[in-house]
Amino acid sequence: MTKPARTLGKTLPRPSGRHAVGRVTLRLVDWSRSDPWVPEQPYRELMVSLWYPSTGGGRPARYLRQGAAASLEWIDGLDVTDVGLHTDEGAAVPRGEKRPVLLFSPDFATPRDLCTTLVEDLASHGYLVVTIDHTYETAVDFPTGRITERRADRARIPARVEDVRTVLAKLTSLAEGRMPGDGHLPPGLGEILDLNRLGVFGHGAGGGTAAEAMYRDNRLRAGVVLDGEFLPPMPGHDLDRPVLLFGSEGANRAHTTDPAAGSFWARHRGWKRDLQLVGTTTLSFTDREPLLPHDPAELGTTAPGKVVTATRTHLRAFFDLHLRERPTRLFDGALSRCPEVRFIR
């Protein structure tokens, strides 16, 4: 018997930055390639959200959309569509300062909004974050009400990398004053994009996507791999730009234990760190950590507040260091103020 839906009655953790957060959602179409999961479709169609520092206004943003929420098996009757955010849809854009841009790729079968706790925080600290749904690897809600169901039984990382490159091309169009897709944008959004300060991060298969995208596109200056699933490095694709591996204790995908991560680590010739968040599982990097009752069997033993704080702090410090040249000692070794993070190397 299906359990009756019930609202969690919760709000995601408040962002720690000084900026209000705005969001817009766009449908993007890449007419240069057919869909990798539906070959008879002669174009690739994506939904993305742009999260940015704002000056307020707009209307309260919704959390998961209907199709995305229904596709998550672990919801088990919970209504997460009414979860409160700290973001306004279509809020005004502050003028005068260009913002570094980060792209986010979610795990397989996971909607782009399920790491909103991390994304809102980055936007509140002055980043513009673009979250990407990889169509047919997860259910996707399109503006007309159409929902594309998941067809894939695994992540196809090369296709995901092309999705990232499509988004980069559309952002270039936006920065040049052209409308990149279907949607409504607040005035001045394209003007704040700093495409000379591009970063990428991802979770699970999205972590592997982030790493592979950095191999394929040298515009991406820095990347974070959250519990990433790696492809074997391609011959001649040694990477020399900064990468942070940040894993859960449960998945244990450190470069010292996971052969694919070890191969990536050995070939990487630039700044690199490998950290582990103790008492966690791979779900701890998602909004499931702060939203649902804490179950140590599913989320590990570390308290949700400590997990959220440690993840946000290290993610932001990494991009601040490499995209904003803001010094930090956070990656010099284990720090007593963050005992939840194990410094592997």
Side-chain angles (χ1 to χ4, degrees), residues 65-257:
R65 295 154 187 83
Q66 179 182 1
S71 70
L72 296 172
E73 297 177 357
W74 55 265
I75 284 180
D76 194 24
L78 296 170
D79 182 2
V80 297
T81 60
D82 289 334
V83 168
L85 305 185
H86 305 279
T87 297
D88 288 322
E89 199 76 34
V93 175
R95 303 299 181 96
E97 182 179 350
K98 287 188 174 292
R99 304 292 179 175
V101 177
L102 306 177
L103 278 63
F104 172 72
S105 176
D107 199 2
F108 174 71
T110 301
R112 66 185 187 276
D113 289 345
L114 205 61
C115 286
T116 293
T117 298
L118 305 180
V119 171
E120 280 190 323
D121 193 65
L122 287 164
S124 79
H125 284 274
Y127 288 92
L128 189 146
V129 187
V130 185
T131 56
I132 307 168
D133 267 343
H134 300 286
T135 314
Y136 298 117
E137 288 194 20
T138 187
V140 180
D141 297 72
F142 284 91
T144 60
R146 176 172 57 97
I147 299 172
T148 58
E149 301 294 337
R150 176 164 66 90
R151 296 192 179 194
D153 58 1
R154 58 183 174 81
R156 188 174 288 179
I157 290 181
R160 284 167 156 257
V161 170
E162 290 307 309
D163 290 346
V164 169
R165 291 170 65 86
T166 291
V167 172
L168 286 174
K170 299 297 185 179
L171 291 176
T172 300
S173 294
L174 177 58
E176 294 173 349
R178 300 190 300 275
M179 184 66 183
D182 299 334
H184 299 282
L185 299 180
L189 185 61
E191 297 171 14
I192 70 171
L193 297 174
D194 188 347
L195 299 184
N196 292 315
R197 292 188 291 170
L198 280 169
V200 62
F201 68 109
H203 173 237
T209 302
E212 189 70 8
M214 290 186 71
Y215 277 128
R216 305 296 178 122
D217 199 315
N218 59 17
R219 291 174 294 178
L220 296 166
R221 290 178 48 187
V224 178
V225 178
L226 300 171
D227 252 356
E229 300 174 12
F230 285 96
L231 284 178
M234 298 294 290
H237 280 289
D238 293 343
L239 188 62
D240 60 2
R241 278 157 283 137
V243 172
L244 171 65
L245 307 187
F246 198 10
S248 68
E249 185 176 27
N252 197 23
R253 288 176 176 152
H255 77 277
T256 54
T257 57

Side-chain angles (χ1 to χ4, degrees), residues 270-286:
W271 188 103
K272 57 187 175 184
R273 297 292 188 272
D274 192 349
L275 308 181
Q276 190 174 82
L277 196 54
V278 300
T280 59
T281 71
T282 194
L283 295 172
S284 300
F285 291 114
T286 72

Side-chain angles (χ1 to χ4, degrees), residues 275-331:
L275 308 181
Q276 190 174 82
L277 196 54
V278 300
T280 59
T281 71
T282 194
L283 295 172
S284 300
F285 291 114
T286 72
D287 296 336
R288 186 168 178 174
E289 179 73 55
L291 277 182
L292 296 187
H294 190 78
D295 182 352
E298 292 188 352
L299 293 169
T301 55
T302 299
K306 292 182 177 180
V307 171
V308 169
T309 298
T311 307
R312 283 176 163 183
T313 300
H314 286 78
L315 189 62
R316 184 176 70 252
F318 172 83
F319 287 120
D320 279 352
L321 174 63
H322 296 293
L323 297 183
R324 287 172 156 167
E325 299 181 350
R326 295 180 179 175
T328 179
R329 298 186 61 189
L330 200 59
F331 303 107

